[in-house]
Every structure is written in structure tokens, then in C-alpha cells.
Amino acid sequence: MIVGLDMGGTNVDAVLIHQGKIIETSKIPTDHSNLLESIWGALKPLLSGQDPAKIERMILSTTISTNAIIEQKTDPVGMIIESGPGLQKDFLSCGRENIFIGGYIDHRGREVSPIDKSEIEKAAKTLKGKNISAVAVAGKFSVRNADHEIRINELLKDEFFPITLGHTVSGKLNFPRRVFTSYYNSAVYTTFLKFSESIYKALQREKINAPVSVLKADGGTMSLKAGERYPVNTILSGPAASVMGGQAFLETSKDAIFLDIGGTTTDISFLADGVPLLEPLGIKIGEFPTLVRSLYSVSIGVGGDSSVCVKNNKIVIGPKRLGRPQAFDGPCPTPTDAMIVLGLISCGNKSKALSAMKEIGEQLNLCPEAAASAILDTMAEMIKNKAEELLHEINSHPVYTVKELLYGKKIKPGLIQVIGGPAKAMAPILEKSFGIPCRYPKVYEAANAVGAALARTTAEITMFIDTAQRTLAVPEMGLYEKISKDYTLEEARLKAIDLLKQQSSLLGAEKGEIQAEIVEENSFNIVRGFYTSGKNIRIRAQIKPGLIYGLWGDKNVSG
């Protein structure tokens, strides 16, 4: 059995899957003051009467790191940055304290200037004086040679925790993004660690020994232990669950729109030829761009529980959620109240929902039912307008999917897949607004949790080879070794695939689900004088996001 759990801003959804079939689902409101109890409130009815020993794995999609950033509850971070010559420093500043040090590794990984131990000791004194314990260290070309970052870590490790080293978060060369990624990793580290420790304690209490994984922003999973080391990769795992949940119930080779309508937001994402889009460089988190691999997804502040009011004789929905719907004793009208009045969903107190629609209708000279219809039409139009805006932006650039770069591709959606609590109610309204078929799965309310449950482990490595210096480096794995001067591109390919499989296993992948592939390779001659002195080889390999298996047997229902 597999347990999938999605912690949304409004509800926690959980699902139990046995031999490819959904056998139980549960949903409870999210208590942001006690996330652990929210999780177990969803899991207890799910596991009631089940043998815990039969649970093979548990996958969480969590907002814990995202919320820490949004709510500005991250730890203060001291940044130690080795920027080298020729680079402005101010735009790299992101921590509570930013200390720029001397020392320099060049683009080929050669030490040009050593680090100054006294500079590091002075930096440590400054950070301790400001009660900063979390640190991130980033050097411009540390992915080619991490020696300086490693030596700085040795000098600091007894006095600071956590310490993130830039070369370990990504092997990509974009230095500013690596600085910011390192910063966020240290900023959310202890928050995620406390969450992880609570999960393990709860599992022991419930006598569940199954391995636990967490969903990453790229739609893949990694073990909870790996998440403790690199919590930055768990940021935006919620939207990733939306995409994976949509895919679990839809087998198509068409362009499509994926919508996940929750209580607070709607996540919008797209398929190109049936394959999810990928952010090519990495996502922007808060103020800073990062190297965190992510599925393409954009959230807008409109959901089932969004506040509804009338301004200038027009219906305004969101972007804030002020509480539960009036049908559940909430403070203001919501689209959920509109759905209840129109008989599209059966829950809550219908007379209170009717009162909410009457309040809106009186300001528009409409009866409650007409007001309810107008609210849902407005909601669908808001989603459509945002989707069209995003499509225009996407189609003005090369289209990147989790599989490949599609040159000249223009996405023209032929269908919509909608999940989330309001999916069934909104499907026919969205179909009318967009003018294309809109489908929703039978288990539309828990589709996110299904997406988390069935996502396979993903990993990515970048390999740098310099045959003139006889060096091979895979920064994400902390691997630096000597090679022969005759090392070939074919040898590099085989090595990269083998190392990627090793890395995937460390992240919790089962052998049967590892599908490694080379996604980028370059080989250039290194010329000195009039002679070729060696080759510079760069290879990027990945385990692409995907599902263990789909649930296409649980067919979609047309809107």
C-alpha cells in the first residue's frame, strides 16, 4: 500500500492506494498552528483497520518551507561569498549579514588566489556577534573545484549550523542563482528539520516503518532524510502535486491546461504534447531567482473560499481568503456559497449560503441564484484570462518540457483537466468559458494526494571533465577525482548514467523506477598555442519526473 498526503493552504488531503487502486481518501481543514496534528487528523481515518506493516511507502507534499518564506519566519543567514574579480557584489546580497571574501577559483577549477584563514575567522566572529548560526558559503566557480568551500566549512562547522555549500545544491554554473539557492536552503533548514523529526516520532507512535519521501518542486520525490539536507527543493511542492495529480488520471498526447482549484488559490499549468512544462533555469522564490528545478505552475488568488464582494457594480473575487464560507459560519460570501445555492455541491448550511448570495445580489439587482451564477462565471473568466496571459508569455519563448526543448512549439490547448474540491462544480462553467472540453477525475478532491503518492524519485547531476588537468567533477555528489588524459565522451556518458543511478538510490529511488537519460552534453578542444592540449567535457543527466503508474482506469468525467 502507498499513502499520499497533500498539505494545502486550506485542507489536508490523504489517499491510500493498494495495487494501483484507490481504496480510501480523507480530507480535513489545515491547522497552520499545528501542522502535525493536521497530518494525523487526515491519516487516522485513512489507516483505520489497516495493517501498518503493509504500507510500503508514504509521500508528503508539504507547504512547510514555502510558508516559512511567505510568512518571513526563516532563520537569519550569514552569507560568505567568494565572488572573485570583475563582478559587482551588491546584487548578490541576500542574507542577514553578507561577507565577501578574497580567494578565487577560475572557470577551469584552478586556484588563482587562496583563501585567507584570518578572513574566515573574522567573518565567524562577526556572525557570532550578531547571533547568526545558519550559514551559506558560495564561490563563483566552486562547481569546477569545491576546495575553497570545503575548507571554509572545516573552519566553521564546530560553531555554526546549518552550513550550506553552494556546490552541493546545484552543479549549474549560474553563480547568482546558486548564491540565492544556498541562502534559501540554510534559511528553511531548521524549520524543515523540526517538521521532519515530528513526522518520524509520529510514525514510531503509529508503528509505521515505511520509508517516507517528500515531493519536490520538479514533481519528483526524495527521501525525507534527503529533504532534511536540501529542504530548498521542497519549496512549491504543492503546485507540483497538482501537475502530477492531473497526469495520474489523464493519458493524452495533446496540449492541455491543468487546473487545481483549491480553497485559497488556483494553480495553472500546461502540457505540451501531453508532457508537463519545466522551468528551464529554476524558480523564483520570494525576491530571488534560484536553481531549484520546478514544473511550470502559476498560482492566482482565486479559490472556493476566496472572499467575494461588489466594487463599482462589479463582482470582485479574492485574492484573499478571509475564512471559511458563510455556509460554514465564515465572515463573507465565497464561490463555495454560490455552488451550494446552485445545488452544485451539497455541504454546509444552505440557508446561510443563500443569505450570502442575497447580500451580493442586492448590490447588483439580481436574485440570489443569478448572483451565484454571476460569481461562478466571473471566477471562470478570471482563470481563463490568466491562462491566456500565461500562454501568450510561454509561446513567446522556447517551450521546455520535462522531456525536451521544443523548438518553434506553440501551445494550443485542446482540453482542460481540473482537480480540487470545486472541480466537479466548476467543470461545465469552465468548459463554456474556455470553449474546449473540461474533464475531472472521479477522485478529483484528492487528486493532489494521488499525484504525490505515485510520483517517482527524480535526480539531476552535472559532470565537468577537463582532460588537460585530468579532473572529473560532479559537484552535487561532492565527487572530484582524477582521470586519464585520454578520457572520452562515451566514457563520460556511461559514468554519468552510473553516478546518476547511484544518486537516485541515495534519494530513495527503487531500482525498477530509475530511468536515467543524458539531457545535455558538450565537448570542446582546449587549445594552447597551436596544439590541442585536452578536452573540456560537460554532461547533464537526469531522472525525469513521472509516475510509477497512472490511474487511467479511474476515467475522467467530462464537464
Side-chain angles (χ1 to χ4, degrees), residues 15-26:
V15 63
L16 184 65
I17 298 174
H18 183 228
Q19 295 181 347
K21 291 186 178 181
I22 297 169
I23 59 173
E24 191 63 68
T25 65
S26 67

Side-chain angles (χ1 to χ4, degrees), residues 180-432:
F180 303 141
T181 308
S182 304
Y183 159 71
Y184 277 125
N185 197 67
S186 285
V188 301
Y189 196 102
T190 56
T191 298
F192 190 87
L193 186 61
K194 289 174 184 176
F195 169 77
S196 174
E197 289 171 347
S198 298
I199 292 292
Y200 283 121
K201 287 178 183 176
L203 290 174
Q204 288 175 354
R205 185 182 69 202
E206 299 293 325
K207 298 180 180 178
I208 295 175
N209 297 314
V212 185
S213 296
V214 60
L215 195 68
K216 300 187 294 179
D218 71 355
T221 68
M222 62 180 173
S223 68
L224 197 57
K225 285 295 182 187
E228 290 173 3
R229 296 194 302 275
Y230 302 111
V232 68
N233 288 317
T234 69
I235 293 169
L236 298 186
S237 74
S242 302
V243 179
M244 304 313 290
Q247 276 214 296
F249 297 97
L250 181 68
E251 186 176 25
T252 184
S253 58
K254 293 182 179 180
D255 295 348
I257 302 172
F258 272 1
L259 300 175
D260 176 14
I261 306 176
T264 309
T265 61
T266 293
D267 295 332
I268 306 172
S269 51
F270 302 93
L271 298 184
D273 300 332
V275 182
L277 302 194
L278 185 75
E279 293 281 7
L281 294 177
I283 51 173
K284 186 176 183 181
I285 303 169
E287 301 176 54
F288 307 115
T290 73
L291 289 171
V292 175
R293 263 170 47 111
S294 173
L295 298 177
Y296 179 93
S297 181
V298 174
S299 297
I300 59 172
V302 56
D305 295 351
S306 295
S307 62
V308 176
C309 63
V310 176
K311 290 182 181 178
N312 299 322
N313 209 38
K314 290 185 177 181
I315 293 170
V316 177
I317 305 176
K320 291 184 178 180
R321 175 184 183 269
L322 301 179
R324 305 192 78 194
Q326 278 193 214
F328 294 89
D329 300 317
C332 64
T334 68
T336 296
D337 293 309
M339 295 174 203
I340 292 170
V341 165
L342 294 174
L344 299 175
I345 57 176
S346 300
C347 59
N349 187 318
K350 188 167 184 177
S351 63
K352 290 184 178 180
L354 196 62
S355 175
M357 292 302 98
K358 186 177 180 182
E359 176 187 332
I360 297 296
E362 286 175 348
Q363 299 176 67
L364 298 169
N365 293 319
L366 297 173
C367 68
E369 291 76 12
S373 292
I375 287 170
L376 299 187
D377 286 342
T378 300
M379 184 174 178
E381 196 66 18
M382 289 174 68
I383 295 170
K384 178 194 174 189
N385 289 342
K386 186 63 179 180
E388 289 180 343
E389 176 190 323
L390 295 174
L391 276 172
H392 178 75
E393 182 182 335
I394 290 167
N395 285 333
S396 65
H397 301 286
V399 174
Y400 289 83
T401 73
V402 298
K403 186 178 179 182
E404 61 190 330
L405 166 61
L406 301 174
Y407 290 100
K409 170 70 178 178
K410 302 295 181 186
I411 299 177
K412 297 178 181 178
L415 62 95
I416 303 166
Q417 171 89 339
V418 60
I419 61 174
K424 182 178 180 180
M426 289 299 299
I429 302 167
L430 290 164
E431 184 167 297
K432 180 181 176 183

Side-chain angles (χ1 to χ4, degrees), residues 12-59:
V12 177
D13 292 297
V15 63
L16 184 65
I17 298 174
H18 183 228
Q19 295 181 347
K21 291 186 178 181
I22 297 169
I23 59 173
E24 191 63 68
T25 65
S26 67
K27 179 191 292 285
I28 69 161
T30 303
D31 181 356
H32 292 280
S33 65
N34 195 336
L35 292 176
L36 187 61
E37 286 306 312
S38 295
I39 290 171
W40 286 105
L43 288 179
K44 282 178 181 176
L46 197 76
L47 303 177
S48 177
Q50 303 292 338
D51 180 1
K54 290 184 178 179
I55 298 173
E56 294 179 2
R57 68 175 191 167
M58 180 179 293
I59 299 91

Side-chain angles (χ1 to χ4, degrees), residues 116-161:
D116 183 341
K117 184 179 177 182
S118 64
E119 265 194 315
I120 309 306
E121 291 170 345
K122 183 181 177 182
K125 187 175 180 180
T126 299
L127 296 178
K128 290 191 77 175
K130 297 190 175 183
N131 294 318
I132 295 174
S133 61
V135 172
V137 183
K140 187 175 181 180
F141 289 110
S142 62
V143 293
R144 293 289 175 88
N145 180 349
D147 183 58
H148 284 191
E149 287 187 358
I150 292 169
R151 287 168 62 194
I152 292 169
N153 180 61
E154 287 297 314
L155 294 170
L156 298 179
K157 68 180 182 180
D158 294 333
E159 298 182 88
F160 297 91
F161 179 84

Side-chain angles (χ1 to χ4, degrees), residues 73-103:
K73 293 180 179 178
T74 57
D75 292 335
V77 179
M79 298 297 300
I80 297 178
I81 304 172
E82 186 184 273
S83 56
L87 193 64
Q88 292 291 328
K89 298 177 180 179
D90 290 349
F91 81 101
L92 295 172
S93 297
C94 53
R96 176 72 60 85
E97 185 72 18
N98 302 279
I99 300 171
F100 293 87
I101 62 170

